[in-house]
Amino acid sequence: MTKELTRVAHLLADAAGEVIAPYFRSEDLGQDNKLVGGYDPVTEADRAAEAAMRDILGRERPDDAILGEEMGEKSGTSGLIWVLDPIDGTRGFVSGTPTWGVLIAVGGQSGPVIGIVDQPYIGERFIGTPQGATLIRGGAGRPIRTRGPRPLSEAVVFTTFPEVGSAQEGAAFRAVAAQAQLTRYGMDCYAYALVACGQVDLVIEAGLNAYDIQGPQALIEAAGGVVTGWDGGPAHNGGRVIAAANTAIHAEALVILQEVLSG
């Protein structure tokens, strides 16, 4: 079953990347704003890519459920659910930065078992399965692993938005970042891929949806990392999420987050 689901996951990533390519950095990219009183863009590329992936699932896995960012839920009977984010990091996409990605996950109610973070513009596909994590680039794949333990004072920490979430959530993040060696912002799903391939120690975010985290979660866990909520519980439904390279730095950061939140 893992082999079959992995095959289909690659088909989805291939199709999404092919659909998206003509839109990236195009002068006439159509977009709408989904957020009243703010800015949360959705583009023609988002919709077209998700439609292409759903078409494939309709042919290859018609009994599976689907949860997609742009087209919502489709029920299924198999017990499996595909979780799709056709372009994670749409703000980056419309800005022309190559840090967005196609997120694909498949699993059950307890969370994903296979996950892909695909960056088709630079040609990097990160995939995690029960057999491990792989980076595919230039037609060749190599195994990847997360970093080993190191003190938080030597760690690299990422988040997408400087405010993180609420004022309290932002304060909790900054308490961790204040003890880290380096803090960076704005990488969206690519930051999680960097955790999986051993470049980054922590990604800490809040306000996520299931489709934001399930692909990266399966990837990082397959590479040896840890992904939970800020309370240490399951993260696959989104919310406050911490992705860590290993259990040691996960535990160190979690203590700080929880101290500020309980504060």
Side-chain angles (χ1 to χ4, degrees):
M1 178 62 75
T2 297
K3 183 177 180 180
E4 168 62 12
L5 295 176
T6 301
R7 180 188 71 84
V8 175
H10 281 300
L11 289 178
L12 301 184
D14 290 344
E18 185 175 347
V19 167
I20 292 167
Y23 292 97
F24 186 52
R25 296 181 179 172
S26 67
E27 294 182 359
D28 57 349
L29 175 65
Q31 61 174 288
D32 298 314
N33 184 12
K34 297 189 289 186
L35 185 63
V36 176
Y39 181 60
D40 185 13
V42 58
T43 71
E44 298 172 72
D46 291 88
R47 299 186 183 103
E50 185 167 324
M53 290 191 283
R54 284 175 178 265
D55 285 346
I56 291 171
L57 290 174
R59 296 193 303 269
E60 299 282 343
R61 304 288 308 176
D63 297 329
D64 296 349
I66 303 173
L67 171 63
E69 179 177 13
E70 307 307 336
M71 300 178 184
E73 296 185 53
K74 168 195 168 291
S75 62
T77 58
S78 68
L80 291 172
I81 179 168
W82 292 85
V83 182
L84 311 174
D85 191 344
I87 300 178
D88 181 81
T90 306
R91 292 172 179 83
F93 184 86
V94 302
S95 302
T97 64
T99 53
W100 52 274
V102 179
L103 303 185
I104 298 163
V106 61
Q109 292 299 320
S110 60
V113 295
I114 294 171
I116 284 180
V117 177
D118 190 54
Q119 214 311 310
Y121 183 75
I122 61 175
E124 290 185 339
R125 180 171 301 174
F126 303 83
I127 181 167
T129 76
Q131 283 69 51
T134 303
L135 167 59
I136 302 169
R137 184 171 185 174
R142 66 173 178 86
I144 53 175
R145 293 287 297 175
T146 58
R147 279 181 167 181
R150 68 191 62 209
L152 182 56
S153 60
E154 299 174 9
V156 179
V157 181
F158 272 71
T159 196
T160 297
F161 302 107
E163 65 273 17
V164 181
S166 68
Q168 187 183 38
E169 289 164 343
F173 172 80
R174 287 189 293 275
V176 176
Q179 297 191 35
Q181 185 176 73
L182 176 63
T183 303
R184 301 293 292 168
Y185 299 91
M187 298 291 285
D188 296 295
C189 62
Y190 198 73
Y192 294 94
L194 293 176
V195 173
C197 67
Q199 295 292 127
V200 170
D201 299 279
L202 292 164
V203 179
I204 301 173
E205 300 197 285
L208 299 187
N209 294 291
Y211 46 74
D212 297 314
I213 192 58
Q214 288 206 19
Q217 177 181 349
L219 169 65
I220 289 171
E221 291 176 345
V226 183
V227 182
T228 72
W230 291 15
D231 60 358
H236 62 279
N237 288 322
R240 299 167 173 170
V241 172
I242 174 171
N246 54 74
T247 56
I249 202 160
H250 174 266
E252 188 175 358
L254 209 60
V255 167
I256 299 170
L257 292 173
Q258 291 175 352
E259 283 179 349
V260 174
L261 292 177
S262 64

PDB file of all heavy atoms in Angstrom, residues 34 46 50-51 53-54 57 65-74 81-87 103 105 209-212:
ATOM      1  N   LYS A  34      -8.671  36.589  -0.032  1.00  0.00           N
ATOM      2  CA  LYS A  34      -9.633  35.821   0.761  1.00  0.00           C
ATOM      3  C   LYS A  34      -9.889  36.415   2.141  1.00  0.00           C
ATOM      4  O   LYS A  34     -10.781  35.954   2.847  1.00  0.00           O
ATOM      5  CB  LYS A  34      -9.129  34.382   0.943  1.00  0.00           C
ATOM      6  CG  LYS A  34      -8.992  33.595  -0.337  1.00  0.00           C
ATOM      7  CD  LYS A  34      -8.709  32.130  -0.059  1.00  0.00           C
ATOM      8  CE  LYS A  34      -7.320  31.913   0.483  1.00  0.00           C
ATOM      9  NZ  LYS A  34      -7.009  30.461   0.626  1.00  0.00           N
ATOM     10  N   ASP A  46      -3.333  28.413  -7.855  1.00  0.00           N
ATOM     11  CA  ASP A  46      -3.790  27.602  -6.717  1.00  0.00           C
ATOM     12  C   ASP A  46      -4.958  26.712  -7.138  1.00  0.00           C
ATOM     13  O   ASP A  46      -4.962  25.494  -6.899  1.00  0.00           O
ATOM     14  CB  ASP A  46      -4.260  28.506  -5.567  1.00  0.00           C
ATOM     15  CG  ASP A  46      -3.159  29.277  -4.881  1.00  0.00           C
ATOM     16  OD1 ASP A  46      -2.846  30.385  -5.346  1.00  0.00           O
ATOM     17  OD2 ASP A  46      -2.629  28.788  -3.879  1.00  0.00           O
ATOM     18  N   GLU A  50      -4.947  22.513  -7.677  1.00  0.00           N
ATOM     19  CA  GLU A  50      -5.764  21.605  -6.866  1.00  0.00           C
ATOM     20  C   GLU A  50      -6.739  20.823  -7.737  1.00  0.00           C
ATOM     21  O   GLU A  50      -6.961  19.619  -7.506  1.00  0.00           O
ATOM     22  CB  GLU A  50      -6.515  22.361  -5.773  1.00  0.00           C
ATOM     23  CG  GLU A  50      -7.262  21.412  -4.852  1.00  0.00           C
ATOM     24  CD  GLU A  50      -7.765  22.047  -3.579  1.00  0.00           C
ATOM     25  OE1 GLU A  50      -7.079  22.929  -3.027  1.00  0.00           O
ATOM     26  OE2 GLU A  50      -8.853  21.649  -3.117  1.00  0.00           O
ATOM     27  N   ALA A  51      -7.315  21.467  -8.734  1.00  0.00           N
ATOM     28  CA  ALA A  51      -8.225  20.761  -9.640  1.00  0.00           C
ATOM     29  C   ALA A  51      -7.511  19.623 -10.353  1.00  0.00           C
ATOM     30  O   ALA A  51      -8.070  18.519 -10.515  1.00  0.00           O
ATOM     31  CB  ALA A  51      -8.818  21.736 -10.652  1.00  0.00           C
ATOM     32  N   MET A  53      -4.913  17.920  -9.294  1.00  0.00           N
ATOM     33  CA  MET A  53      -4.650  16.834  -8.337  1.00  0.00           C
ATOM     34  C   MET A  53      -5.919  16.053  -8.024  1.00  0.00           C
ATOM     35  O   MET A  53      -5.902  14.817  -7.929  1.00  0.00           O
ATOM     36  CB  MET A  53      -4.017  17.401  -7.065  1.00  0.00           C
ATOM     37  CG  MET A  53      -2.597  17.894  -7.258  1.00  0.00           C
ATOM     38  SD  MET A  53      -1.722  18.270  -5.705  1.00  0.00           S
ATOM     39  CE  MET A  53      -2.452  19.846  -5.270  1.00  0.00           C
ATOM     40  N   ARG A  54      -7.028  16.752  -7.888  1.00  0.00           N
ATOM     41  CA  ARG A  54      -8.301  16.070  -7.625  1.00  0.00           C
ATOM     42  C   ARG A  54      -8.728  15.192  -8.810  1.00  0.00           C
ATOM     43  O   ARG A  54      -9.300  14.122  -8.609  1.00  0.00           O
ATOM     44  CB  ARG A  54      -9.379  17.104  -7.292  1.00  0.00           C
ATOM     45  CG  ARG A  54      -9.268  17.683  -5.891  1.00  0.00           C
ATOM     46  CD  ARG A  54     -10.275  18.788  -5.663  1.00  0.00           C
ATOM     47  NE  ARG A  54     -10.205  19.314  -4.314  1.00  0.00           N
ATOM     48  CZ  ARG A  54     -10.962  18.923  -3.295  1.00  0.00           C
ATOM     49  NH1 ARG A  54     -11.878  17.985  -3.470  1.00  0.00           N
ATOM     50  NH2 ARG A  54     -10.825  19.455  -2.097  1.00  0.00           N
ATOM     51  N   LEU A  57      -6.784  11.975  -8.411  1.00  0.00           N
ATOM     52  CA  LEU A  57      -7.319  11.158  -7.330  1.00  0.00           C
ATOM     53  C   LEU A  57      -8.656  10.532  -7.715  1.00  0.00           C
ATOM     54  O   LEU A  57      -8.958   9.400  -7.315  1.00  0.00           O
ATOM     55  CB  LEU A  57      -7.467  12.001  -6.064  1.00  0.00           C
ATOM     56  CG  LEU A  57      -6.149  12.409  -5.404  1.00  0.00           C
ATOM     57  CD1 LEU A  57      -6.408  13.372  -4.246  1.00  0.00           C
ATOM     58  CD2 LEU A  57      -5.381  11.189  -4.902  1.00  0.00           C
ATOM     59  N   ALA A  65     -10.881   9.937   0.724  1.00  0.00           N
ATOM     60  CA  ALA A  65     -11.357  11.289   1.017  1.00  0.00           C
ATOM     61  C   ALA A  65     -10.292  12.310   0.620  1.00  0.00           C
ATOM     62  O   ALA A  65      -9.114  11.977   0.461  1.00  0.00           O
ATOM     63  CB  ALA A  65     -11.692  11.416   2.490  1.00  0.00           C
ATOM     64  N   ILE A  66     -10.725  13.552   0.463  1.00  0.00           N
ATOM     65  CA  ILE A  66      -9.816  14.643   0.115  1.00  0.00           C
ATOM     66  C   ILE A  66     -10.135  15.853   0.983  1.00  0.00           C
ATOM     67  O   ILE A  66     -11.296  16.188   1.198  1.00  0.00           O
ATOM     68  CB  ILE A  66      -9.953  15.052  -1.368  1.00  0.00           C
ATOM     69  CG1 ILE A  66      -9.708  13.871  -2.297  1.00  0.00           C
ATOM     70  CG2 ILE A  66      -8.976  16.193  -1.709  1.00  0.00           C
ATOM     71  CD1 ILE A  66     -10.003  14.187  -3.762  1.00  0.00           C
ATOM     72  N   LEU A  67      -9.092  16.520   1.470  1.00  0.00           N
ATOM     73  CA  LEU A  67      -9.208  17.840   2.088  1.00  0.00           C
ATOM     74  C   LEU A  67      -8.237  18.753   1.368  1.00  0.00           C
ATOM     75  O   LEU A  67      -7.022  18.531   1.406  1.00  0.00           O
ATOM     76  CB  LEU A  67      -8.870  17.783   3.576  1.00  0.00           C
ATOM     77  CG  LEU A  67      -8.752  19.157   4.267  1.00  0.00           C
ATOM     78  CD1 LEU A  67     -10.075  19.902   4.239  1.00  0.00           C
ATOM     79  CD2 LEU A  67      -8.236  19.002   5.693  1.00  0.00           C
ATOM     80  N   GLY A  68      -8.764  19.751   0.680  1.00  0.00           N
ATOM     81  CA  GLY A  68      -7.919  20.691  -0.033  1.00  0.00           C
ATOM     82  C   GLY A  68      -8.174  22.113   0.418  1.00  0.00           C
ATOM     83  O   GLY A  68      -9.300  22.458   0.798  1.00  0.00           O
ATOM     84  N   GLU A  69      -7.146  22.949   0.349  1.00  0.00           N
ATOM     85  CA  GLU A  69      -7.308  24.321   0.816  1.00  0.00           C
ATOM     86  C   GLU A  69      -8.336  25.089  -0.001  1.00  0.00           C
ATOM     87  O   GLU A  69      -9.133  25.850   0.552  1.00  0.00           O
ATOM     88  CB  GLU A  69      -5.979  25.074   0.759  1.00  0.00           C
ATOM     89  CG  GLU A  69      -6.136  26.515   1.216  1.00  0.00           C
ATOM     90  CD  GLU A  69      -4.858  27.317   1.254  1.00  0.00           C
ATOM     91  OE1 GLU A  69      -3.849  26.859   0.704  1.00  0.00           O
ATOM     92  OE2 GLU A  69      -4.885  28.409   1.847  1.00  0.00           O
ATOM     93  N   GLU A  70      -8.345  24.888  -1.307  1.00  0.00           N
ATOM     94  CA  GLU A  70      -9.182  25.723  -2.164  1.00  0.00           C
ATOM     95  C   GLU A  70     -10.568  25.137  -2.430  1.00  0.00           C
ATOM     96  O   GLU A  70     -11.503  25.882  -2.701  1.00  0.00           O
ATOM     97  CB  GLU A  70      -8.471  25.976  -3.500  1.00  0.00           C
ATOM     98  CG  GLU A  70      -7.063  26.539  -3.376  1.00  0.00           C
ATOM     99  CD  GLU A  70      -6.982  27.786  -2.519  1.00  0.00           C
ATOM    100  OE1 GLU A  70      -7.993  28.493  -2.377  1.00  0.00           O
ATOM    101  OE2 GLU A  70      -5.891  28.052  -1.973  1.00  0.00           O
ATOM    102  N   MET A  71     -10.711  23.827  -2.379  1.00  0.00           N
ATOM    103  CA  MET A  71     -11.969  23.197  -2.780  1.00  0.00           C
ATOM    104  C   MET A  71     -12.607  22.356  -1.685  1.00  0.00           C
ATOM    105  O   MET A  71     -13.571  21.625  -1.948  1.00  0.00           O
ATOM    106  CB  MET A  71     -11.746  22.352  -4.040  1.00  0.00           C
ATOM    107  CG  MET A  71     -11.246  23.187  -5.202  1.00  0.00           C
ATOM    108  SD  MET A  71     -10.921  22.193  -6.693  1.00  0.00           S
ATOM    109  CE  MET A  71     -10.249  23.458  -7.774  1.00  0.00           C
ATOM    110  N   GLY A  72     -12.093  22.458  -0.491  1.00  0.00           N
ATOM    111  CA  GLY A  72     -12.751  21.857   0.653  1.00  0.00           C
ATOM    112  C   GLY A  72     -12.639  20.344   0.738  1.00  0.00           C
ATOM    113  O   GLY A  72     -11.659  19.750   0.287  1.00  0.00           O
ATOM    114  N   GLU A  73     -13.681  19.728   1.308  1.00  0.00           N
ATOM    115  CA  GLU A  73     -13.654  18.307   1.637  1.00  0.00           C
ATOM    116  C   GLU A  73     -14.476  17.476   0.657  1.00  0.00           C
ATOM    117  O   GLU A  73     -15.523  17.908   0.180  1.00  0.00           O
ATOM    118  CB  GLU A  73     -14.203  18.083   3.043  1.00  0.00           C
ATOM    119  CG  GLU A  73     -13.376  18.723   4.136  1.00  0.00           C
ATOM    120  CD  GLU A  73     -13.889  18.384   5.525  1.00  0.00           C
ATOM    121  OE1 GLU A  73     -14.051  17.174   5.816  1.00  0.00           O
ATOM    122  OE2 GLU A  73     -14.138  19.315   6.300  1.00  0.00           O
ATOM    123  N   LYS A  74     -13.967  16.279   0.390  1.00  0.00           N
ATOM    124  CA  LYS A  74     -14.709  15.246  -0.336  1.00  0.00           C
ATOM    125  C   LYS A  74     -14.683  14.003   0.544  1.00  0.00           C
ATOM    126  O   LYS A  74     -13.623  13.578   0.996  1.00  0.00           O
ATOM    127  CB  LYS A  74     -14.063  14.946  -1.682  1.00  0.00           C
ATOM    128  CG  LYS A  74     -14.614  13.680  -2.360  1.00  0.00           C
ATOM    129  CD  LYS A  74     -13.711  13.234  -3.483  1.00  0.00           C
ATOM    130  CE  LYS A  74     -14.035  11.838  -3.986  1.00  0.00           C
ATOM    131  NZ  LYS A  74     -13.713  10.760  -3.033  1.00  0.00           N
ATOM    132  N   ILE A  81      -7.284   9.714   3.708  1.00  0.00           N
ATOM    133  CA  ILE A  81      -7.601  11.078   3.296  1.00  0.00           C
ATOM    134  C   ILE A  81      -6.351  11.737   2.729  1.00  0.00           C
ATOM    135  O   ILE A  81      -5.268  11.659   3.316  1.00  0.00           O
ATOM    136  CB  ILE A  81      -8.177  11.913   4.461  1.00  0.00           C
ATOM    137  CG1 ILE A  81      -8.483  13.338   4.004  1.00  0.00           C
ATOM    138  CG2 ILE A  81      -7.259  11.908   5.676  1.00  0.00           C
ATOM    139  CD1 ILE A  81      -9.297  14.139   4.981  1.00  0.00           C
ATOM    140  N   TRP A  82      -6.518  12.348   1.567  1.00  0.00           N
ATOM    141  CA  TRP A  82      -5.455  13.122   0.938  1.00  0.00           C
ATOM    142  C   TRP A  82      -5.630  14.585   1.341  1.00  0.00           C
ATOM    143  O   TRP A  82      -6.708  15.149   1.191  1.00  0.00           O
ATOM    144  CB  TRP A  82      -5.526  12.995  -0.583  1.00  0.00           C
ATOM    145  CG  TRP A  82      -5.187  11.619  -1.061  1.00  0.00           C
ATOM    146  CD1 TRP A  82      -6.043  10.552  -1.157  1.00  0.00           C
ATOM    147  CD2 TRP A  82      -3.912  11.148  -1.485  1.00  0.00           C
ATOM    148  NE1 TRP A  82      -5.369   9.449  -1.619  1.00  0.00           N
ATOM    149  CE2 TRP A  82      -4.056   9.789  -1.836  1.00  0.00           C
ATOM    150  CE3 TRP A  82      -2.654  11.742  -1.621  1.00  0.00           C
ATOM    151  CZ2 TRP A  82      -3.003   9.017  -2.301  1.00  0.00           C
ATOM    152  CZ3 TRP A  82      -1.592  10.975  -2.083  1.00  0.00           C
ATOM    153  CH2 TRP A  82      -1.766   9.632  -2.418  1.00  0.00           C
ATOM    154  N   VAL A  83      -4.569  15.180   1.838  1.00  0.00           N
ATOM    155  CA  VAL A  83      -4.605  16.566   2.308  1.00  0.00           C
ATOM    156  C   VAL A  83      -3.707  17.390   1.384  1.00  0.00           C
ATOM    157  O   VAL A  83      -2.503  17.129   1.289  1.00  0.00           O
ATOM    158  CB  VAL A  83      -4.154  16.660   3.773  1.00  0.00           C
ATOM    159  CG1 VAL A  83      -4.239  18.097   4.271  1.00  0.00           C
ATOM    160  CG2 VAL A  83      -5.007  15.742   4.648  1.00  0.00           C
ATOM    161  N   LEU A  84      -4.308  18.377   0.712  1.00  0.00           N
ATOM    162  CA  LEU A  84      -3.645  19.085  -0.380  1.00  0.00           C
ATOM    163  C   LEU A  84      -3.583  20.585  -0.134  1.00  0.00           C
ATOM    164  O   LEU A  84      -4.597  21.205   0.183  1.00  0.00           O
ATOM    165  CB  LEU A  84      -4.406  18.848  -1.694  1.00  0.00           C
ATOM    166  CG  LEU A  84      -4.778  17.411  -2.059  1.00  0.00           C
ATOM    167  CD1 LEU A  84      -5.643  17.411  -3.322  1.00  0.00           C
ATOM    168  CD2 LEU A  84      -3.536  16.558  -2.245  1.00  0.00           C
ATOM    169  N   ASP A  85      -2.409  21.148  -0.303  1.00  0.00           N
ATOM    170  CA  ASP A  85      -2.253  22.599  -0.369  1.00  0.00           C
ATOM    171  C   ASP A  85      -1.530  22.881  -1.676  1.00  0.00           C
ATOM    172  O   ASP A  85      -0.314  22.667  -1.781  1.00  0.00           O
ATOM    173  CB  ASP A  85      -1.450  23.116   0.816  1.00  0.00           C
ATOM    174  CG  ASP A  85      -1.484  24.638   0.927  1.00  0.00           C
ATOM    175  OD1 ASP A  85      -1.864  25.291  -0.067  1.00  0.00           O
ATOM    176  OD2 ASP A  85      -1.134  25.166   1.990  1.00  0.00           O
ATOM    177  N   PRO A  86      -2.252  23.320  -2.705  1.00  0.00           N
ATOM    178  CA  PRO A  86      -1.637  23.423  -4.035  1.00  0.00           C
ATOM    179  C   PRO A  86      -0.481  24.405  -4.105  1.00  0.00           C
ATOM    180  O   PRO A  86       0.494  24.168  -4.825  1.00  0.00           O
ATOM    181  CB  PRO A  86      -2.800  23.860  -4.925  1.00  0.00           C
ATOM    182  CG  PRO A  86      -3.805  24.456  -4.000  1.00  0.00           C
ATOM    183  CD  PRO A  86      -3.682  23.690  -2.719  1.00  0.00           C
ATOM    184  N   ILE A  87      -0.586  25.519  -3.391  1.00  0.00           N
ATOM    185  CA  ILE A  87       0.554  26.437  -3.257  1.00  0.00           C
ATOM    186  C   ILE A  87       0.585  26.921  -1.820  1.00  0.00           C
ATOM    187  O   ILE A  87      -0.201  27.795  -1.427  1.00  0.00           O
ATOM    188  CB  ILE A  87       0.463  27.647  -4.215  1.00  0.00           C
ATOM    189  CG1 ILE A  87       0.425  27.194  -5.672  1.00  0.00           C
ATOM    190  CG2 ILE A  87       1.659  28.575  -3.989  1.00  0.00           C
ATOM    191  CD1 ILE A  87       0.284  28.339  -6.667  1.00  0.00           C
ATOM    192  N   LEU A 103       2.092  21.052  -1.268  1.00  0.00           N
ATOM    193  CA  LEU A 103       2.057  20.154  -0.119  1.00  0.00           C
ATOM    194  C   LEU A 103       1.036  19.051  -0.348  1.00  0.00           C
ATOM    195  O   LEU A 103      -0.128  19.329  -0.666  1.00  0.00           O
ATOM    196  CB  LEU A 103       1.700  20.917   1.157  1.00  0.00           C
ATOM    197  CG  LEU A 103       2.604  22.093   1.533  1.00  0.00           C
ATOM    198  CD1 LEU A 103       2.188  22.652   2.886  1.00  0.00           C
ATOM    199  CD2 LEU A 103       4.066  21.675   1.546  1.00  0.00           C
ATOM    200  N   ALA A 105      -0.236  15.222   1.416  1.00  0.00           N
ATOM    201  CA  ALA A 105      -0.130  14.226   2.480  1.00  0.00           C
ATOM    202  C   ALA A 105      -1.249  13.212   2.322  1.00  0.00           C
ATOM    203  O   ALA A 105      -2.307  13.521   1.776  1.00  0.00           O
ATOM    204  CB  ALA A 105      -0.215  14.880   3.860  1.00  0.00           C
ATOM    205  N   ASN A 209      -3.537  25.426   9.477  1.00  0.00           N
ATOM    206  CA  ASN A 209      -4.596  24.486   9.133  1.00  0.00           C
ATOM    207  C   ASN A 209      -3.988  23.118   8.858  1.00  0.00           C
ATOM    208  O   ASN A 209      -2.766  22.991   8.672  1.00  0.00           O
ATOM    209  CB  ASN A 209      -5.359  24.975   7.907  1.00  0.00           C
ATOM    210  CG  ASN A 209      -6.129  26.245   8.178  1.00  0.00           C
ATOM    211  OD1 ASN A 209      -7.109  26.240   8.920  1.00  0.00           O
ATOM    212  ND2 ASN A 209      -5.690  27.354   7.582  1.00  0.00           N
ATOM    213  N   ALA A 210      -4.845  22.098   8.785  1.00  0.00           N
ATOM    214  CA  ALA A 210      -4.356  20.746   8.530  1.00  0.00           C
ATOM    215  C   ALA A 210      -3.557  20.675   7.237  1.00  0.00           C
ATOM    216  O   ALA A 210      -2.508  20.004   7.161  1.00  0.00           O
ATOM    217  CB  ALA A 210      -5.529  19.769   8.488  1.00  0.00           C
ATOM    218  N   TYR A 211      -4.014  21.390   6.203  1.00  0.00           N
ATOM    219  CA  TYR A 211      -3.319  21.317   4.922  1.00  0.00           C
ATOM    220  C   TYR A 211      -1.987  22.058   4.932  1.00  0.00           C
ATOM    221  O   TYR A 211      -1.155  21.853   4.043  1.00  0.00           O
ATOM    222  CB  TYR A 211      -4.206  21.814   3.774  1.00  0.00           C
ATOM    223  CG  TYR A 211      -4.948  23.106   4.043  1.00  0.00           C
ATOM    224  CD1 TYR A 211      -4.284  24.326   4.035  1.00  0.00           C
ATOM    225  CD2 TYR A 211      -6.308  23.112   4.306  1.00  0.00           C
ATOM    226  CE1 TYR A 211      -4.954  25.510   4.291  1.00  0.00           C
ATOM    227  CE2 TYR A 211      -6.993  24.287   4.558  1.00  0.00           C
ATOM    228  CZ  TYR A 211      -6.314  25.483   4.543  1.00  0.00           C
ATOM    229  OH  TYR A 211      -6.982  26.656   4.797  1.00  0.00           O
ATOM    230  N   ASP A 212      -1.750  22.912   5.924  1.00  0.00           N
ATOM    231  CA  ASP A 212      -0.457  23.586   6.052  1.00  0.00           C
ATOM    232  C   ASP A 212       0.616  22.672   6.625  1.00  0.00           C
ATOM    233  O   ASP A 212       1.802  22.862   6.343  1.00  0.00           O
ATOM    234  CB  ASP A 212      -0.559  24.807   6.978  1.00  0.00           C
ATOM    235  CG  ASP A 212      -1.484  25.881   6.469  1.00  0.00           C
ATOM    236  OD1 ASP A 212      -1.390  26.220   5.274  1.00  0.00           O
ATOM    237  OD2 ASP A 212      -2.318  26.371   7.263  1.00  0.00           O
TER     238      ASP A 212
END
